[in-house]
Amino acid sequence: FSVQPDTYDVTISLGGLPTDVATALQVDGNKVAEMKGGDVHVLTYPIGTSHTFQVDQYATGASGYRYYCASNSWTAGAEGSNIFNYATQVYLDVSTDPIGIAEVTQPGWYQVGSSATISPVSTELDGSAGVKYRFAEWTIDGTPRAGNGFVVVMDAPHKVAAKFDTYFKLTVLSDYGNPQGQGYYRAATT
């Protein structure tokens, strides 16, 4: 006669997730463990049963970092192992200074190593009555960048801003003579 085991083992591990970032491990929809990068879990089940293993599709890391698992579910009915692989994503924050005066490339998440195209902005915009905005420069993480529109390599989270100078309209009126100086002037200039 022979003795057959009545259980089987399933080994679950994570790839691409840092040791300080956690994801929930669920079996058949119920959370069974909190896993961090580098963790390995071995689970035992009766032969003849099948189970679905799932991790969070997104895991949040340090500011501007998250981790994405494209295939975050796996089903097993016999002994086996599965590695849930995470890819690093970084955040691109795009804005204007002053805030909200122009449409810019939408902020969002990008795969590490990919490229983000920053669309050019208008060189002059009308504000409220007597106010204009003129494009001055782009900055990446506070550092000026030449040109209007460019590509950013997403090797880390980045903050990109289109900086505009504010101009105010000076109106000169007189019943006498020919006064000069009317026009738009940059804020804080004489």
Side-chain angles (χ1 to χ4, degrees):
F1 71 93
S2 67
V3 177
Q4 298 291 327
D6 58 355
T7 61
Y8 65 94
D9 290 337
V10 174
T11 304
I12 302 294
S13 57
L14 303 174
L17 201 63
T19 57
D20 62 340
V21 177
T23 184
L25 173 61
Q26 295 184 28
V27 178
D28 300 328
N30 299 310
K31 183 177 175 181
V32 297
E34 188 82 10
M35 293 182 72
K36 290 187 175 183
D39 287 353
V40 176
H41 279 278
V42 179
L43 305 160
T44 304
Y45 297 100
I47 288 180
T49 62
S50 180
H51 302 278
T52 300
F53 304 87
Q54 186 172 359
V55 294
D56 297 329
Q57 188 140 48
Y58 294 97
T60 303
S63 179
Y65 287 87
R66 77 175 182 186
Y67 303 89
Y68 172 66
C69 183
S71 181
N72 70 324
S73 182
W74 176 68
T75 301
E79 189 159 324
S81 63
N82 188 57
I83 300 173
F84 288 106
N85 288 304
Y86 281 86
T88 304
Q89 294 183 335
V90 289
Y91 193 71
L92 175 65
D93 184 4
V94 185
S95 63
T96 60
D97 180 12
I99 294 172
I101 63 167
E103 288 189 25
V104 291
T105 302
Q106 289 295 309
W109 292 96
Y110 289 82
Q111 202 85 352
V112 165
S114 65
S115 296
T117 301
I118 305 299
S119 299
V121 293
S122 297
T123 56
E124 187 169 282
L125 301 165
D126 290 327
S128 56
V131 179
K132 286 188 182 287
Y133 300 100
R134 292 187 181 145
F135 175 70
E137 66 185 1
W138 282 98
T139 61
I140 300 175
D141 303 324
T143 303
R145 170 89 162 77
N148 187 1
F150 52 92
V151 173
V152 177
V153 176
M154 295 304 296
D155 52 357
H158 290 292
K159 289 186 178 187
V160 176
K163 296 197 175 271
F164 288 82
D165 290 329
T166 303
Y167 284 76
F168 295 111
K169 184 176 184 179
L170 173 64
T171 303
V172 180
L173 301 171
S174 175
D175 290 337
Y176 304 99
N178 188 16
Q180 302 295 311
Q182 183 166 300
Y184 281 89
Y185 293 88
R186 192 162 49 100
T189 59
T190 301

PDB file of all heavy atoms in Angstrom, residues 109-134:
ATOM      1  N   TRP A 109       0.757  59.268 -13.468  1.00  0.00           N
ATOM      2  CA  TRP A 109       1.758  58.262 -13.124  1.00  0.00           C
ATOM      3  C   TRP A 109       2.419  57.718 -14.383  1.00  0.00           C
ATOM      4  O   TRP A 109       1.738  57.474 -15.384  1.00  0.00           O
ATOM      5  CB  TRP A 109       1.100  57.113 -12.357  1.00  0.00           C
ATOM      6  CG  TRP A 109       0.628  57.532 -11.004  1.00  0.00           C
ATOM      7  CD1 TRP A 109      -0.629  57.927 -10.664  1.00  0.00           C
ATOM      8  CD2 TRP A 109       1.410  57.613  -9.819  1.00  0.00           C
ATOM      9  NE1 TRP A 109      -0.676  58.245  -9.336  1.00  0.00           N
ATOM     10  CE2 TRP A 109       0.560  58.059  -8.780  1.00  0.00           C
ATOM     11  CE3 TRP A 109       2.752  57.357  -9.522  1.00  0.00           C
ATOM     12  CZ2 TRP A 109       1.019  58.250  -7.482  1.00  0.00           C
ATOM     13  CZ3 TRP A 109       3.189  57.538  -8.223  1.00  0.00           C
ATOM     14  CH2 TRP A 109       2.334  57.979  -7.220  1.00  0.00           C
ATOM     15  N   TYR A 110       3.733  57.497 -14.294  1.00  0.00           N
ATOM     16  CA  TYR A 110       4.508  56.974 -15.419  1.00  0.00           C
ATOM     17  C   TYR A 110       5.421  55.853 -14.936  1.00  0.00           C
ATOM     18  O   TYR A 110       5.940  55.902 -13.816  1.00  0.00           O
ATOM     19  CB  TYR A 110       5.377  58.074 -16.037  1.00  0.00           C
ATOM     20  CG  TYR A 110       4.576  59.119 -16.785  1.00  0.00           C
ATOM     21  CD1 TYR A 110       3.968  60.168 -16.102  1.00  0.00           C
ATOM     22  CD2 TYR A 110       4.423  59.046 -18.159  1.00  0.00           C
ATOM     23  CE1 TYR A 110       3.221  61.123 -16.777  1.00  0.00           C
ATOM     24  CE2 TYR A 110       3.685  59.999 -18.845  1.00  0.00           C
ATOM     25  CZ  TYR A 110       3.087  61.033 -18.147  1.00  0.00           C
ATOM     26  OH  TYR A 110       2.347  61.975 -18.827  1.00  0.00           O
ATOM     27  N   GLN A 111       5.619  54.886 -15.792  1.00  0.00           N
ATOM     28  CA  GLN A 111       6.561  53.801 -15.524  1.00  0.00           C
ATOM     29  C   GLN A 111       7.974  54.380 -15.442  1.00  0.00           C
ATOM     30  O   GLN A 111       8.329  55.247 -16.246  1.00  0.00           O
ATOM     31  CB  GLN A 111       6.478  52.782 -16.666  1.00  0.00           C
ATOM     32  CG  GLN A 111       6.956  51.419 -16.325  1.00  0.00           C
ATOM     33  CD  GLN A 111       5.861  50.594 -15.674  1.00  0.00           C
ATOM     34  OE1 GLN A 111       4.787  51.065 -15.343  1.00  0.00           O
ATOM     35  NE2 GLN A 111       6.145  49.347 -15.471  1.00  0.00           N
ATOM     36  N   VAL A 112       8.761  53.930 -14.481  1.00  0.00           N
ATOM     37  CA  VAL A 112      10.135  54.408 -14.371  1.00  0.00           C
ATOM     38  C   VAL A 112      10.875  54.140 -15.679  1.00  0.00           C
ATOM     39  O   VAL A 112      10.780  53.055 -16.243  1.00  0.00           O
ATOM     40  CB  VAL A 112      10.866  53.739 -13.185  1.00  0.00           C
ATOM     41  CG1 VAL A 112      12.367  53.941 -13.273  1.00  0.00           C
ATOM     42  CG2 VAL A 112      10.360  54.283 -11.872  1.00  0.00           C
ATOM     43  N   GLY A 113      11.579  55.162 -16.170  1.00  0.00           N
ATOM     44  CA  GLY A 113      12.331  55.039 -17.414  1.00  0.00           C
ATOM     45  C   GLY A 113      11.567  55.474 -18.643  1.00  0.00           C
ATOM     46  O   GLY A 113      12.152  55.620 -19.715  1.00  0.00           O
ATOM     47  N   SER A 114      10.253  55.678 -18.518  1.00  0.00           N
ATOM     48  CA  SER A 114       9.477  56.125 -19.673  1.00  0.00           C
ATOM     49  C   SER A 114       9.651  57.637 -19.847  1.00  0.00           C
ATOM     50  O   SER A 114      10.292  58.302 -19.043  1.00  0.00           O
ATOM     51  CB  SER A 114       7.997  55.767 -19.498  1.00  0.00           C
ATOM     52  OG  SER A 114       7.442  56.470 -18.400  1.00  0.00           O
ATOM     53  N   SER A 115       9.063  58.169 -20.904  1.00  0.00           N
ATOM     54  CA  SER A 115       9.156  59.604 -21.184  1.00  0.00           C
ATOM     55  C   SER A 115       7.780  60.233 -21.150  1.00  0.00           C
ATOM     56  O   SER A 115       6.793  59.615 -21.546  1.00  0.00           O
ATOM     57  CB  SER A 115       9.767  59.833 -22.561  1.00  0.00           C
ATOM     58  OG  SER A 115      11.087  59.362 -22.600  1.00  0.00           O
ATOM     59  N   ALA A 116       7.738  61.476 -20.679  1.00  0.00           N
ATOM     60  CA  ALA A 116       6.496  62.251 -20.663  1.00  0.00           C
ATOM     61  C   ALA A 116       6.704  63.484 -21.533  1.00  0.00           C
ATOM     62  O   ALA A 116       7.692  64.196 -21.378  1.00  0.00           O
ATOM     63  CB  ALA A 116       6.150  62.655 -19.240  1.00  0.00           C
ATOM     64  N   THR A 117       5.775  63.730 -22.440  1.00  0.00           N
ATOM     65  CA  THR A 117       5.855  64.898 -23.314  1.00  0.00           C
ATOM     66  C   THR A 117       5.080  66.047 -22.688  1.00  0.00           C
ATOM     67  O   THR A 117       3.885  65.920 -22.412  1.00  0.00           O
ATOM     68  CB  THR A 117       5.287  64.578 -24.706  1.00  0.00           C
ATOM     69  OG1 THR A 117       6.044  63.490 -25.259  1.00  0.00           O
ATOM     70  CG2 THR A 117       5.366  65.781 -25.627  1.00  0.00           C
ATOM     71  N   ILE A 118       5.780  67.149 -22.474  1.00  0.00           N
ATOM     72  CA  ILE A 118       5.159  68.354 -21.931  1.00  0.00           C
ATOM     73  C   ILE A 118       4.805  69.253 -23.108  1.00  0.00           C
ATOM     74  O   ILE A 118       5.686  69.696 -23.854  1.00  0.00           O
ATOM     75  CB  ILE A 118       6.111  69.089 -20.963  1.00  0.00           C
ATOM     76  CG1 ILE A 118       6.599  68.150 -19.859  1.00  0.00           C
ATOM     77  CG2 ILE A 118       5.452  70.334 -20.395  1.00  0.00           C
ATOM     78  CD1 ILE A 118       5.516  67.571 -18.984  1.00  0.00           C
ATOM     79  N   SER A 119       3.512  69.503 -23.288  1.00  0.00           N
ATOM     80  CA  SER A 119       3.041  70.308 -24.418  1.00  0.00           C
ATOM     81  C   SER A 119       3.351  71.789 -24.201  1.00  0.00           C
ATOM     82  O   SER A 119       3.327  72.275 -23.061  1.00  0.00           O
ATOM     83  CB  SER A 119       1.534  70.142 -24.591  1.00  0.00           C
ATOM     84  OG  SER A 119       1.231  68.791 -24.854  1.00  0.00           O
ATOM     85  N   PRO A 120       3.608  72.521 -25.270  1.00  0.00           N
ATOM     86  CA  PRO A 120       3.851  73.968 -25.140  1.00  0.00           C
ATOM     87  C   PRO A 120       2.596  74.680 -24.620  1.00  0.00           C
ATOM     88  O   PRO A 120       1.472  74.205 -24.813  1.00  0.00           O
ATOM     89  CB  PRO A 120       4.159  74.414 -26.567  1.00  0.00           C
ATOM     90  CG  PRO A 120       4.420  73.183 -27.345  1.00  0.00           C
ATOM     91  CD  PRO A 120       3.742  72.060 -26.648  1.00  0.00           C
ATOM     92  N   VAL A 121       2.813  75.818 -23.988  1.00  0.00           N
ATOM     93  CA  VAL A 121       1.702  76.652 -23.522  1.00  0.00           C
ATOM     94  C   VAL A 121       1.671  77.935 -24.341  1.00  0.00           C
ATOM     95  O   VAL A 121       2.651  78.280 -25.011  1.00  0.00           O
ATOM     96  CB  VAL A 121       1.840  76.990 -22.014  1.00  0.00           C
ATOM     97  CG1 VAL A 121       1.673  75.748 -21.159  1.00  0.00           C
ATOM     98  CG2 VAL A 121       3.154  77.690 -21.722  1.00  0.00           C
ATOM     99  N   SER A 122       0.565  78.647 -24.280  1.00  0.00           N
ATOM    100  CA  SER A 122       0.448  79.937 -24.982  1.00  0.00           C
ATOM    101  C   SER A 122       1.463  80.916 -24.423  1.00  0.00           C
ATOM    102  O   SER A 122       1.737  80.921 -23.218  1.00  0.00           O
ATOM    103  CB  SER A 122      -0.957  80.512 -24.805  1.00  0.00           C
ATOM    104  OG  SER A 122      -1.906  79.660 -25.397  1.00  0.00           O
ATOM    105  N   THR A 123       2.004  81.746 -25.287  1.00  0.00           N
ATOM    106  CA  THR A 123       3.008  82.713 -24.835  1.00  0.00           C
ATOM    107  C   THR A 123       2.378  83.921 -24.154  1.00  0.00           C
ATOM    108  O   THR A 123       3.038  84.595 -23.375  1.00  0.00           O
ATOM    109  CB  THR A 123       3.886  83.186 -26.006  1.00  0.00           C
ATOM    110  OG1 THR A 123       3.044  83.714 -27.022  1.00  0.00           O
ATOM    111  CG2 THR A 123       4.714  82.035 -26.545  1.00  0.00           C
ATOM    112  N   GLU A 124       1.093  84.186 -24.441  1.00  0.00           N
ATOM    113  CA  GLU A 124       0.405  85.288 -23.766  1.00  0.00           C
ATOM    114  C   GLU A 124      -1.044  84.900 -23.522  1.00  0.00           C
ATOM    115  O   GLU A 124      -1.710  84.358 -24.401  1.00  0.00           O
ATOM    116  CB  GLU A 124       0.476  86.568 -24.596  1.00  0.00           C
ATOM    117  CG  GLU A 124      -0.085  87.773 -23.856  1.00  0.00           C
ATOM    118  CD  GLU A 124       0.210  89.095 -24.560  1.00  0.00           C
ATOM    119  OE1 GLU A 124       1.358  89.569 -24.436  1.00  0.00           O
ATOM    120  OE2 GLU A 124      -0.708  89.614 -25.215  1.00  0.00           O
ATOM    121  N   LEU A 125      -1.518  85.203 -22.320  1.00  0.00           N
ATOM    122  CA  LEU A 125      -2.884  84.867 -21.923  1.00  0.00           C
ATOM    123  C   LEU A 125      -3.556  86.086 -21.322  1.00  0.00           C
ATOM    124  O   LEU A 125      -2.914  86.873 -20.609  1.00  0.00           O
ATOM    125  CB  LEU A 125      -2.877  83.753 -20.868  1.00  0.00           C
ATOM    126  CG  LEU A 125      -2.222  82.435 -21.258  1.00  0.00           C
ATOM    127  CD1 LEU A 125      -1.972  81.584 -20.033  1.00  0.00           C
ATOM    128  CD2 LEU A 125      -3.114  81.709 -22.250  1.00  0.00           C
ATOM    129  N   ASP A 126      -4.841  86.238 -21.595  1.00  0.00           N
ATOM    130  CA  ASP A 126      -5.609  87.313 -20.968  1.00  0.00           C
ATOM    131  C   ASP A 126      -6.110  86.833 -19.621  1.00  0.00           C
ATOM    132  O   ASP A 126      -6.619  85.712 -19.487  1.00  0.00           O
ATOM    133  CB  ASP A 126      -6.806  87.706 -21.846  1.00  0.00           C
ATOM    134  CG  ASP A 126      -6.370  88.422 -23.111  1.00  0.00           C
ATOM    135  OD1 ASP A 126      -5.359  89.147 -23.050  1.00  0.00           O
ATOM    136  OD2 ASP A 126      -7.030  88.247 -24.149  1.00  0.00           O
ATOM    137  N   GLY A 127      -5.988  87.710 -18.640  1.00  0.00           N
ATOM    138  CA  GLY A 127      -6.543  87.437 -17.313  1.00  0.00           C
ATOM    139  C   GLY A 127      -7.816  88.238 -17.146  1.00  0.00           C
ATOM    140  O   GLY A 127      -8.539  88.490 -18.110  1.00  0.00           O
ATOM    141  N   SER A 128      -8.073  88.683 -15.930  1.00  0.00           N
ATOM    142  CA  SER A 128      -9.223  89.553 -15.700  1.00  0.00           C
ATOM    143  C   SER A 128      -8.940  90.897 -16.370  1.00  0.00           C
ATOM    144  O   SER A 128      -7.844  91.135 -16.890  1.00  0.00           O
ATOM    145  CB  SER A 128      -9.460  89.710 -14.197  1.00  0.00           C
ATOM    146  OG  SER A 128      -8.286  90.188 -13.568  1.00  0.00           O
ATOM    147  N   ALA A 129      -9.909  91.802 -16.336  1.00  0.00           N
ATOM    148  CA  ALA A 129      -9.760  93.095 -17.020  1.00  0.00           C
ATOM    149  C   ALA A 129      -8.473  93.783 -16.573  1.00  0.00           C
ATOM    150  O   ALA A 129      -8.214  93.942 -15.383  1.00  0.00           O
ATOM    151  CB  ALA A 129     -10.965  93.975 -16.731  1.00  0.00           C
ATOM    152  N   GLY A 130      -7.655  94.177 -17.546  1.00  0.00           N
ATOM    153  CA  GLY A 130      -6.423  94.904 -17.258  1.00  0.00           C
ATOM    154  C   GLY A 130      -5.262  94.029 -16.827  1.00  0.00           C
ATOM    155  O   GLY A 130      -4.235  94.533 -16.381  1.00  0.00           O
ATOM    156  N   VAL A 131      -5.396  92.713 -16.982  1.00  0.00           N
ATOM    157  CA  VAL A 131      -4.334  91.787 -16.568  1.00  0.00           C
ATOM    158  C   VAL A 131      -3.998  90.848 -17.723  1.00  0.00           C
ATOM    159  O   VAL A 131      -4.888  90.321 -18.389  1.00  0.00           O
ATOM    160  CB  VAL A 131      -4.751  90.948 -15.336  1.00  0.00           C
ATOM    161  CG1 VAL A 131      -3.647  89.971 -14.949  1.00  0.00           C
ATOM    162  CG2 VAL A 131      -5.118  91.842 -14.163  1.00  0.00           C
ATOM    163  N   LYS A 132      -2.705  90.674 -17.970  1.00  0.00           N
ATOM    164  CA  LYS A 132      -2.216  89.708 -18.955  1.00  0.00           C
ATOM    165  C   LYS A 132      -1.130  88.867 -18.295  1.00  0.00           C
ATOM    166  O   LYS A 132      -0.494  89.290 -17.341  1.00  0.00           O
ATOM    167  CB  LYS A 132      -1.623  90.404 -20.179  1.00  0.00           C
ATOM    168  CG  LYS A 132      -2.638  91.028 -21.116  1.00  0.00           C
ATOM    169  CD  LYS A 132      -1.953  91.520 -22.385  1.00  0.00           C
ATOM    170  CE  LYS A 132      -2.918  92.177 -23.316  1.00  0.00           C
ATOM    171  NZ  LYS A 132      -3.820  91.261 -23.995  1.00  0.00           N
ATOM    172  N   TYR A 133      -0.950  87.678 -18.847  1.00  0.00           N
ATOM    173  CA  TYR A 133       0.123  86.797 -18.377  1.00  0.00           C
ATOM    174  C   TYR A 133       0.989  86.458 -19.586  1.00  0.00           C
ATOM    175  O   TYR A 133       0.476  86.078 -20.632  1.00  0.00           O
ATOM    176  CB  TYR A 133      -0.440  85.512 -17.768  1.00  0.00           C
ATOM    177  CG  TYR A 133      -1.335  85.773 -16.583  1.00  0.00           C
ATOM    178  CD1 TYR A 133      -2.718  85.755 -16.719  1.00  0.00           C
ATOM    179  CD2 TYR A 133      -0.796  86.034 -15.328  1.00  0.00           C
ATOM    180  CE1 TYR A 133      -3.542  85.983 -15.641  1.00  0.00           C
ATOM    181  CE2 TYR A 133      -1.615  86.275 -14.241  1.00  0.00           C
ATOM    182  CZ  TYR A 133      -2.999  86.247 -14.403  1.00  0.00           C
ATOM    183  OH  TYR A 133      -3.807  86.486 -13.328  1.00  0.00           O
ATOM    184  N   ARG A 134       2.309  86.591 -19.418  1.00  0.00           N
ATOM    185  CA  ARG A 134       3.242  86.250 -20.493  1.00  0.00           C
ATOM    186  C   ARG A 134       4.150  85.123 -20.012  1.00  0.00           C
ATOM    187  O   ARG A 134       4.727  85.196 -18.925  1.00  0.00           O
ATOM    188  CB  ARG A 134       4.056  87.471 -20.907  1.00  0.00           C
ATOM    189  CG  ARG A 134       3.177  88.514 -21.581  1.00  0.00           C
ATOM    190  CD  ARG A 134       3.957  89.652 -22.156  1.00  0.00           C
ATOM    191  NE  ARG A 134       3.023  90.614 -22.762  1.00  0.00           N
ATOM    192  CZ  ARG A 134       3.204  91.917 -22.764  1.00  0.00           C
ATOM    193  NH1 ARG A 134       4.303  92.437 -22.235  1.00  0.00           N
ATOM    194  NH2 ARG A 134       2.327  92.708 -23.322  1.00  0.00           N
TER     195      ARG A 134
END
